[in-house]
Amino acid sequence: MRVGVLTGGGDCPGLNAVIRAVTLALVQHDPRVEVLGVERGFLGLVEGHLRPVLPEQVRDLLDEGGTLLGTHNRANPFDYQGRDASAEALSVARRAGLDCLVAIGGDGTLTLAARFAELGLPVVGVPKTIDNDIAGNERSFGFDSAVAVVADALNRLKTTAASHHRIMVVETMGRDAGWIALEGGLAGGADAIVIPEQPFALEALARRLEACVARQGHGLVCVAEGAGLGDGAQLWQQLPDGVSRLGGIGNALVHALAGRWPDVEVRATVLGHLQRGGAPTAFDRVLATRFGVAAAQAVVDGQFGITVALQGDRCVHVPLSAVAGQNRRVPAGHELLRCAQALGALPE
Amino acid sequence: MRVGVLTGGGDCPGLNAVIRAVTLALVQHDPRVEVLGVERGFLGLVEGHLRPVLPEQVRDLLDEGGTLLGTHNRANPFDYQGRDASAEALSVARRAGLDCLVAIGGDGTLTLAARFAELGLPVVGVPKTIDNDIAGNERSFGFDSAVAVVADALNRLKTTAASHHRIMVVETMGRDAGWIALEGGLAGGADAIVIPEQPFALEALARRLEACVARQGHGLVCVAEGAGLGDGAQLWQQLPDGVSRLGGIGNALVHALAGRWPDVEVRATVLGHLQRGGAPTAFDRVLATRFGVAAAQAVVDGQFGITVALQGDRCVHVPLSAVAGQNRRVPAGHELLRCAQALGALPE
Amino acid sequence: MRVGVLTGGGDCPGLNAVIRAVTLALVQHDPRVEVLGVERGFLGLVEGHLRPVLPEQVRDLLDEGGTLLGTHNRANPFDYQGRDASAEALSVARRAGLDCLVAIGGDGTLTLAARFAELGLPVVGVPKTIDNDIAGNERSFGFDSAVAVVADALNRLKTTAASHHRIMVVETMGRDAGWIALEGGLAGGADAIVIPEQPFALEALARRLEACVARQGHGLVCVAEGAGLGDGAQLWQQLPDGVSRLGGIGNALVHALAGRWPDVEVRATVLGHLQRGGAPTAFDRVLATRFGVAAAQAVVDGQFGITVALQGDRCVHVPLSAVAGQNRRVPAGHELLRCAQALGALPE
Amino acid sequence: MRVGVLTGGGDCPGLNAVIRAVTLALVQHDPRVEVLGVERGFLGLVEGHLRPVLPEQVRDLLDEGGTLLGTHNRANPFDYQGRDASAEALSVARRAGLDCLVAIGGDGTLTLAARFAELGLPVVGVPKTIDNDIAGNERSFGFDSAVAVVADALNRLKTTAASHHRIMVVETMGRDAGWIALEGGLAGGADAIVIPEQPFALEALARRLEACVARQGHGLVCVAEGAGLGDGAQLWQQLPDGVSRLGGIGNALVHALAGRWPDVEVRATVLGHLQRGGAPTAFDRVLATRFGVAAAQAVVDGQFGITVALQGDRCVHVPLSAVAGQNRRVPAGHELLRCAQALGALPE
């Protein structure tokens, strides 16, 4: 048997751990299985860049960040240099003798995987998202690592906030879904958490910070990059004139809040790519390994057209078609929201 | 309302985070609520050591290891200096004006909590266990931190194993339940994982390591302290004469394996208390916070005689009587076991 | 004896460790010594905000970031709300019964300390600078922590650079002195290091990255915020029209480099305050402790008008007047520069 | 030019970083230089195990623990399987075309290097020691990493000590030299530090802990493994009958101190190999890189028979003969000793 593996979309801690687990589990199952790595996501399938992945190459990759196969953000065989190259991709797969493909990636990659599955390619998906926002999957590898980076940053900035009597704003990833800011904010003890799923209310945030300044002389805000972008009654209407949204929500909040409290400066830190690279946490190494083993098992069992997923801390199979094009956001009343609310960290 | 809080049993990362969340959530709910800390577990209830816990004392405790209330391993009001002092404990609670008690602790503490609940004290339990072995609760705070310590240790020792061509054995906590060794071993890339729930087979372990030595020149073993203790056909019968069990399973394995491969030394590291102290991981800070908020909510709702617990990543209530005296071990066929097996890391 | 302690200037890992060491060493020397904390740097001396610092308050502060005394960036008694309030400050010191003052701070704070020393206040300085740029002092606490943050960020971003075939630019602190970028870049394996002390040459940097892209498909740049600001023949003249310096050097490099290599994106991360807050590394805890003990010893010995400093890994005394208003930059031909050069990481 | 590189003695964080820097600097200097790795220290020179080391193999090794060349603790060509095999080693070097050899190792390896230098092999040494005890060298790579592990362990154990009212004893490496325990103890806030260079006084230690228990209810001891081994009037004479030295000084202290304070248990943790493996700190990555570049420069300059070394934070050359067989211990009155003394952490 010959099994292709590719990683698509943005970098994410744990990708190498999945590749490792898929490879080791397949070879442990049957030493004759050959694993072929497809380079740079679906781009490599179109352009025919495949190479063998051997157990000894992956054995020590458990805690290596990144993906040894490379990845690509916008590789789309159905729209490759302006044309549909999906037939070429299928032909590459056929000529390489691939019996099936394990596609590790986010919504984009899994959507492409679903389309190839419809075209007859046996595909197993593995959900990958820093943002923890893939439908049908309750926790994705890489998310815990991102939350740990946010919590560590909040911890660091808190000492400066307290020492200088400042408001420190931390902008996290999360354009549509606020999971990172919500869980990271809880883990880092943010005084206020602002996420896209909640209506943005500048004055409520200011009131919350007013209380913090009065009580402890400083405040810590954790805001998702997509907060306030949602609808008409949102942040950008509430900002003072002249504050551009180009600088991002973190810097916008600095402008909107600056000067409200005498002698209390407001500063922003944008974490950006720090949340996306580097070694996975122990939790993510285990989860990525579970996903990889589950994907290998699906291959062995001939279960295709599905993605592995975590539900209720159990690895399950979900049809690719049920995942593609979906998005998992923080639902109203979710326990973590109520948790933040109970601690007074949800400005309302 | 006056709410008592105590922490019992061994130290565990996240205890302070629970105390913080309970306190902040109660005071956020109603600023008139008074929280009284009971010192050193149920010992403080017998001896009357209580003191107010104020929000400003706990606000910055999210990532502080340990418990500001102190704890005690064997405090038992029903067997206090050789007599039953439970009536005194109830009297202390009454005189202190406690409307209820939040008891944060392991099986021992929750069993005591259950007995006091039967005696009429309104109690809410919060499960605490490094070992992740409390019945009815799928994941406890502190466990992720312990796993991270084990994974970090395995990572460190792997470089020495590889550089020197050695077998390195890491002994983790886990007298009855192998969760730490199992998840820590997976997170740290152990070549062999040995837990109490599996029958111990020295020769199978040696075969597994034989393959590792042949392939990569070294091996990494993660063994729970309670492995091989279980029944008659266990480790200690399989060891060479003269190997005492007093030195622990890690050192016993060194003796049992030493000399099997020329020029490949075997060394053991006993992690011990390193797994139990220190700051919680981001994951554990969130989980401890969720438990603390859920306990505060139970208090507010008048839900007593229960413990909060995690099931399917949701905070639920479980009757204390269903938890007390139970023990959650790794069941045969558990996904993590199959995962270790699929990677060839389960000697059989 | 009554000893005042203050911390001035920006937050820095290790401030609390110095306060702890000063206090514990003084009280260990003579339990009758009283330590008085002056709040928010020299501001507290003008405004009369002092409070006792007790051993039990500081004993556990060794690894706490920030300063329990608070600090202030621009507190200047000689220019307080538009007037000279130095006499008030001296009068506060006198009324509080201060026999002397330990002033922990950067160039600004030490310059003020030197002026107060001239006015007759017995002062001992302790150099504090993230940037490692205080004259007469070869290594300052907080610097190692900042370097560790930079190295960790580079490690994280390297996985993304490699996985995506990108150029990742990391902007560090260092307006005038490039120590953080230089040492952080070496510690994080940057392909190119750009510091203020070197003439900025955009084309040399582009050539260096060209080689990296050709060889490995990606590149990692570590640039100090002050790079290219120096003189007429600098960065901003070399940038394409329309690139504003307001976004900082990191983002300016993105604009200047973007599009040079097909399919190789360029992204910047600005570390900012992350380098300045949080817990000190073990190295910085030791160094801060050494400085604190040395300052306490100077107080005991009646050595005033000096600052403690590190020279050749030994704690020495340097006259405050020799330090004030000076600045220690990376000298041409410094070993670390030659080191970066030898590895090809210095674009020239 | 063809340059051999070998690593000898125990594992140490930073070995790979030195190999990387030597290789990259040599090839950067002249792309025609060939680097040959000798496997497993001087053993590989006798047995003829050499292989090319290419820049692309080492570029990403900066933060990898261990040594890709392997190492060996007791490889001695002058006593190889009972005979002098030095001539064979020289012959291997000649046949491999080695122009010179960079030997990275501790006292044993550098002593062998000195002997080969006398026999005409052009050798450059690089000092490697976790213990920081190589003569002529003030700070070695790996030491900061070991200190960080000790400090982290002390931090973790302190929470348990405080929560349970216990004495926690941490045993560090350091058979002859106490640098790790001394600096680690200072970095981790140990209440008492015990090193081989100081006369061991059990009663003084007990008095120190008595004060800690009285004041804070717990205590933290950092003891080097070699403490109390020195001379006739040492620990083992002071211990109660029946306490064996086989269990190590940490466990011996548990026996010697147990029961002295009612309700205060004493527990020991032996860090062992945890201090020796794993990724180097940022500080050690820079220092290892400096050493590697300096060694490459010595090769280029034809400076042989020397070892690079750090003195006063400058990389210098020291004759191999001046280093071999020496040992750098903590001298009486050293600043760090006075520092520990000033904080009351040196039992006397």
Side-chain angles (χ1 to χ4, degrees):
Chain A
M1 186 164 53
R2 200 168 273 183
V3 182
V5 180
L6 65 76
T7 49
D11 188 18
C12 177
L15 284 170
N16 274 325
V18 178
I19 299 169
R20 169 187 181 268
V22 168
T23 305
L24 294 185
L26 283 172
V27 173
Q28 176 78 12
H29 170 73
D30 182 346
R32 294 164 307 177
V33 173
E34 292 174 71
V35 177
L36 280 187
V38 181
E39 294 183 3
R40 308 204 74 188
F42 278 106
L43 198 64
L45 204 61
V46 173
E47 301 183 347
H49 294 136
L50 291 84
R51 56 181 157 107
V53 176
L54 303 174
E56 53 266 33
Q57 288 176 295
V58 297
R59 196 159 269 125
D60 288 335
L61 292 189
L62 184 52
D63 62 339
E64 289 279 309
T67 160
L68 88 159
L69 300 176
T71 186
H72 200 284
N73 274 39
R74 290 172 308 277
N76 182 353
F78 299 91
D79 182 10
Y80 173 76
Q81 299 182 350
R83 60 189 171 80
D84 182 345
S86 56
E88 287 159 66
L90 287 171
S91 157
V92 163
R94 206 176 314 113
R95 285 202 310 274
L98 292 190
D99 293 296
C100 61
L101 177 70
V102 176
I104 311 162
D107 177 45
T109 300
L110 296 181
T111 301
L112 293 171
R115 293 184 68 179
F116 277 107
E118 284 167 22
L119 296 175
L121 187 68
V123 181
V124 171
V126 176
K128 179 234 58 154
T129 161
I130 288 290
D131 292 320
N132 207 27
D133 64 348
I134 290 181
N137 179 48
E138 292 179 2
R139 204 162 185 99
S140 57
F141 65 89
F143 174 63
D144 187 63
S145 303
V147 165
V149 167
V150 172
D152 180 61
L154 286 167
N155 271 7
R156 291 189 174 280
L157 297 168
K158 192 189 307 191
T159 74
T160 303
S163 299
H164 283 274
H165 297 197
R166 277 189 192 152
I167 307 278
M168 301 297 271
V169 177
V170 174
E171 179 184 316
T172 74
M173 284 192 169
R175 200 157 291 279
D176 296 307
W179 295 106
I180 291 181
L182 180 52
E183 201 152 314
L186 284 170
D191 294 304
I193 296 172
V194 186
I195 62 172
E197 290 89 340
Q198 296 281 102
F200 184 85
L202 184 60
E203 291 314 314
L205 174 61
R207 275 197 306 277
R208 168 65 182 157
L209 292 172
E210 174 71 39
C212 293
V213 167
R215 187 180 62 213
Q216 68 207 25
H218 62 272
L220 201 57
V221 180
C222 186
V223 57
E225 60 179 332
L229 290 176
D231 57 59
Q234 289 293 11
L235 168 67
W236 309 100
Q237 276 76 356
Q238 301 171 42
L239 289 182
D241 282 352
V243 175
S244 153
R245 57 191 293 172
L246 289 180
I249 174 75
N251 289 307
L253 285 181
V254 170
H255 284 97
L257 295 169
R260 291 201 179 216
W261 304 280
D263 206 28
V264 175
E265 296 179 4
V266 188
R267 300 285 177 89
T269 299
V270 181
L271 294 181
H273 283 83
L274 294 176
Q275 298 158 88
R276 183 177 266 312
T281 58
F283 183 96
D284 278 340
R285 277 177 255 165
V286 174
L287 184 51
T289 299
R290 290 168 70 184
F291 276 3
V293 167
Q297 189 62 45
V299 165
V300 168
D301 294 344
Q303 291 279 333
F304 298 113
I306 56 95
T307 177
V308 301
L310 198 76
Q311 292 184 358
D313 201 33
R314 268 147 204 86
C315 260
V316 299
H317 292 177
V318 176
L320 274 168
S321 55
V323 168
Q326 304 293 318
N327 198 267
R328 204 177 69 92
R329 307 182 76 200
V330 182
H334 187 275
E335 188 207 325
L336 289 175
L337 270 185
R338 284 183 286 119
C339 210
Q341 195 172 32
L343 298 169
L346 219 58
E348 310 176 278
Chain B
M1 187 163 51
R2 197 168 277 184
V3 181
V5 180
L6 65 78
T7 50
D11 188 18
C12 179
L15 283 170
N16 274 326
V18 178
I19 299 169
R20 170 187 182 266
V22 169
T23 305
L24 295 185
L26 284 171
V27 172
Q28 176 78 11
H29 170 74
D30 182 346
R32 294 164 308 177
V33 173
E34 292 174 72
V35 178
L36 279 188
V38 182
E39 294 183 2
R40 308 205 73 189
F42 278 107
L43 198 65
L45 203 62
V46 174
E47 301 183 347
H49 295 135
L50 291 83
R51 58 185 156 104
V53 176
L54 303 174
E56 54 266 33
Q57 288 175 294
V58 298
R59 196 160 268 123
D60 288 335
L61 291 189
L62 184 53
D63 62 340
E64 289 279 310
T67 159
L68 89 158
L69 301 175
T71 185
H72 200 283
N73 275 37
R74 289 172 308 276
N76 182 354
F78 298 92
D79 184 8
Y80 175 76
Q81 300 181 351
R83 62 190 170 78
D84 182 345
S86 57
E88 287 160 65
L90 287 171
S91 157
V92 163
R94 206 176 314 113
R95 286 202 310 274
L98 292 191
D99 293 296
C100 61
L101 177 70
V102 175
I104 310 163
D107 177 46
T109 300
L110 296 182
T111 301
L112 293 172
R115 293 185 67 179
F116 276 108
E118 284 166 21
L119 295 176
L121 188 68
V123 181
V124 171
V126 175
K128 177 234 60 154
T129 162
I130 288 289
D131 293 319
N132 207 27
D133 64 349
I134 291 181
N137 179 50
E138 293 179 2
R139 204 163 184 98
S140 57
F141 65 88
F143 173 63
D144 186 63
S145 303
V147 166
V149 167
V150 172
D152 181 61
L154 286 167
N155 271 7
R156 290 190 174 279
L157 297 169
K158 192 188 308 191
T159 74
T160 302
S163 299
H164 284 274
H165 298 198
R166 277 190 192 151
I167 308 278
M168 300 297 271
V169 178
V170 174
E171 179 184 317
T172 74
M173 283 191 170
R175 200 158 289 279
D176 297 307
W179 297 106
I180 291 180
L182 180 52
E183 201 152 315
L186 284 170
D191 293 304
I193 297 172
V194 186
I195 62 171
E197 290 89 342
Q198 295 282 100
F200 184 85
L202 185 60
E203 291 314 312
L205 174 61
R207 275 197 306 277
R208 168 65 182 157
L209 292 172
E210 174 70 40
C212 292
V213 167
R215 187 180 62 214
Q216 67 207 25
H218 64 273
L220 202 57
V221 180
C222 186
V223 56
E225 58 179 334
L229 290 177
D231 55 60
Q234 289 294 10
L235 169 67
W236 308 101
Q237 277 76 356
Q238 302 172 41
L239 287 183
D241 282 352
V243 175
S244 153
R245 56 192 293 170
L246 289 179
I249 175 75
N251 288 308
L253 285 182
V254 170
H255 284 96
L257 295 169
R260 292 199 179 218
W261 304 280
D263 206 30
V264 175
E265 295 179 5
V266 188
R267 301 284 178 87
T269 300
V270 182
L271 294 179
H273 284 83
L274 294 176
Q275 298 158 88
R276 180 175 270 312
T281 58
F283 183 95
D284 279 340
R285 278 177 253 164
V286 173
L287 183 52
T289 299
R290 290 167 71 185
F291 276 2
V293 167
Q297 189 62 43
V299 165
V300 167
D301 294 344
Q303 291 279 332
F304 298 115
I306 55 96
T307 178
V308 301
L310 198 75
Q311 291 183 0
D313 202 33
R314 269 148 202 85
C315 259
V316 299
H317 291 176
V318 176
L320 274 169
S321 56
V323 168
Q326 305 291 320
N327 197 268
R328 205 176 68 93
R329 307 183 76 202
V330 181
H334 187 276
E335 188 206 325
L336 289 174
L337 271 185
R338 284 184 286 119
C339 210
Q341 195 171 34
L343 298 169
L346 219 57
E348 311 177 276
Chain C
M1 185 162 53
R2 197 168 277 183
V3 181
V5 180
L6 65 77
T7 50
D11 188 17
C12 178
L15 284 169
N16 274 326
V18 178
I19 299 169
R20 170 187 181 267
V22 168
T23 305
L24 295 185
L26 283 172
V27 172
Q28 175 78 12
H29 171 73
D30 182 346
R32 294 164 307 177
V33 173
E34 292 174 72
V35 178
L36 280 188
V38 182
E39 293 182 2
R40 308 205 74 188
F42 278 106
L43 197 66
L45 204 61
V46 173
E47 300 183 348
H49 295 135
L50 291 84
R51 57 183 157 105
V53 176
L54 303 174
E56 54 265 34
Q57 287 175 296
V58 297
R59 196 160 270 125
D60 289 334
L61 292 189
L62 184 53
D63 62 338
E64 289 280 309
T67 160
L68 89 159
L69 301 175
T71 185
H72 200 283
N73 274 38
R74 291 172 307 277
N76 181 355
F78 298 92
D79 183 10
Y80 175 76
Q81 300 182 350
R83 61 189 171 80
D84 183 345
S86 57
E88 287 160 65
L90 286 170
S91 156
V92 163
R94 205 177 314 114
R95 284 202 312 274
L98 292 190
D99 293 297
C100 61
L101 177 70
V102 175
I104 310 163
D107 177 46
T109 300
L110 296 182
T111 300
L112 292 172
R115 293 184 67 178
F116 276 108
E118 283 166 22
L119 295 176
L121 187 68
V123 181
V124 171
V126 175
K128 179 234 58 151
T129 161
I130 288 290
D131 292 319
N132 208 26
D133 64 349
I134 290 181
N137 179 50
E138 292 179 1
R139 202 158 186 101
S140 58
F141 65 89
F143 174 63
D144 187 63
S145 303
V147 166
V149 167
V150 172
D152 181 61
L154 286 166
N155 270 7
R156 291 190 174 280
L157 297 168
K158 191 189 309 191
T159 75
T160 303
S163 299
H164 283 274
H165 297 198
R166 278 188 191 152
I167 307 278
M168 301 297 271
V169 178
V170 174
E171 179 183 317
T172 75
M173 283 193 170
R175 199 158 291 279
D176 297 306
W179 296 106
I180 291 180
L182 180 53
E183 201 152 316
L186 284 170
D191 293 304
I193 297 172
V194 187
I195 62 171
E197 290 89 341
Q198 295 281 101
F200 184 85
L202 184 60
E203 290 314 313
L205 174 61
R207 275 197 305 277
R208 166 67 183 157
L209 293 172
E210 173 71 39
C212 292
V213 167
R215 186 180 63 215
Q216 69 206 26
H218 63 272
L220 201 57
V221 180
C222 186
V223 57
E225 60 181 331
L229 291 176
D231 55 60
Q234 288 294 10
L235 169 67
W236 308 101
Q237 278 76 357
Q238 302 171 41
L239 289 182
D241 282 353
V243 175
S244 153
R245 58 191 292 171
L246 288 180
I249 174 75
N251 289 308
L253 285 182
V254 171
H255 284 96
L257 295 169
R260 292 200 179 218
W261 303 280
D263 206 29
V264 176
E265 295 181 4
V266 188
R267 300 284 178 88
T269 300
V270 181
L271 294 180
H273 283 84
L274 294 176
Q275 298 158 88
R276 184 178 264 314
T281 58
F283 184 95
D284 279 340
R285 278 177 252 164
V286 174
L287 183 52
T289 299
R290 290 168 70 184
F291 276 2
V293 167
Q297 189 61 45
V299 165
V300 168
D301 294 344
Q303 291 280 332
F304 298 114
I306 55 96
T307 178
V308 301
L310 197 76
Q311 293 184 359
D313 201 34
R314 268 148 203 85
C315 259
V316 298
H317 291 175
V318 176
L320 275 168
S321 55
V323 168
Q326 304 292 319
N327 198 268
R328 204 177 68 92
R329 308 182 77 201
V330 181
H334 187 275
E335 188 207 324
L336 290 174
L337 271 185
R338 284 183 287 119
C339 210
Q341 197 171 30
L343 298 169
L346 219 58
E348 310 175 278
Chain D
M1 186 163 51
R2 199 168 274 183
V3 181
V5 181
L6 65 77
T7 51
D11 189 19
C12 178
L15 284 170
N16 274 327
V18 178
I19 298 169
R20 170 187 181 268
V22 169
T23 305
L24 295 185
L26 284 172
V27 172
Q28 175 78 11
H29 170 72
D30 182 345
R32 293 164 308 176
V33 174
E34 292 174 72
V35 178
L36 279 188
V38 182
E39 294 183 1
R40 308 206 74 189
F42 277 107
L43 197 65
L45 204 60
V46 174
E47 300 182 347
H49 295 135
L50 290 84
R51 57 183 157 106
V53 176
L54 303 174
E56 53 266 32
Q57 288 176 295
V58 297
R59 196 161 269 123
D60 288 335
L61 291 188
L62 184 53
D63 63 339
E64 288 279 310
T67 159
L68 89 157
L69 300 176
T71 185
H72 200 283
N73 274 38
R74 289 172 308 277
N76 182 354
F78 298 92
D79 182 9
Y80 174 75
Q81 299 182 350
R83 62 191 170 79
D84 182 345
S86 57
E88 287 159 67
L90 287 171
S91 157
V92 163
R94 206 176 314 113
R95 285 201 311 275
L98 292 190
D99 293 297
C100 62
L101 178 70
V102 175
I104 310 163
D107 177 45
T109 300
L110 296 182
T111 300
L112 293 171
R115 292 185 68 178
F116 276 108
E118 283 167 22
L119 295 176
L121 188 68
V123 181
V124 171
V126 176
K128 176 233 61 149
T129 162
I130 288 289
D131 293 319
N132 207 27
D133 63 350
I134 290 182
N137 180 50
E138 292 179 2
R139 204 162 185 98
S140 57
F141 65 88
F143 174 63
D144 187 63
S145 303
V147 166
V149 167
V150 172
D152 181 61
L154 287 167
N155 270 8
R156 291 190 174 279
L157 297 169
K158 193 188 307 192
T159 73
T160 302
S163 299
H164 284 274
H165 298 198
R166 277 190 193 152
I167 308 278
M168 301 296 270
V169 177
V170 175
E171 180 184 315
T172 73
M173 283 192 170
R175 201 157 289 278
D176 297 306
W179 296 106
I180 291 181
L182 180 52
E183 201 152 314
L186 284 170
D191 293 304
I193 297 172
V194 186
I195 62 171
E197 291 89 341
Q198 295 281 100
F200 183 85
L202 184 60
E203 290 314 313
L205 174 61
R207 275 197 306 278
R208 168 64 181 158
L209 293 172
E210 174 71 40
C212 292
V213 167
R215 186 181 64 214
Q216 69 207 25
H218 64 272
L220 202 57
V221 180
C222 187
V223 57
E225 58 179 334
L229 290 176
D231 55 59
Q234 289 293 11
L235 168 66
W236 308 101
Q237 277 76 356
Q238 302 171 41
L239 288 182
D241 283 351
V243 174
S244 152
R245 55 192 295 172
L246 289 180
I249 176 74
N251 288 309
L253 285 182
V254 170
H255 284 96
L257 295 169
R260 291 200 179 218
W261 304 280
D263 207 29
V264 175
E265 295 179 5
V266 188
R267 300 282 178 90
T269 300
V270 181
L271 295 180
H273 284 84
L274 294 175
Q275 298 157 86
R276 177 175 274 311
T281 58
F283 183 96
D284 278 340
R285 276 176 255 165
V286 173
L287 183 52
T289 299
R290 290 168 69 185
F291 275 2
V293 167
Q297 190 61 46
V299 165
V300 168
D301 294 344
Q303 291 279 332
F304 297 114
I306 55 97
T307 178
V308 302
L310 198 75
Q311 292 183 0
D313 202 33
R314 269 149 201 85
C315 260
V316 298
H317 292 177
V318 177
L320 274 169
S321 56
V323 168
Q326 304 291 320
N327 197 267
R328 203 176 69 92
R329 307 182 77 201
V330 181
H334 187 276
E335 189 206 326
L336 289 174
L337 271 185
R338 285 184 285 120
C339 210
Q341 196 172 33
L343 298 168
L346 218 58
E348 313 178 275

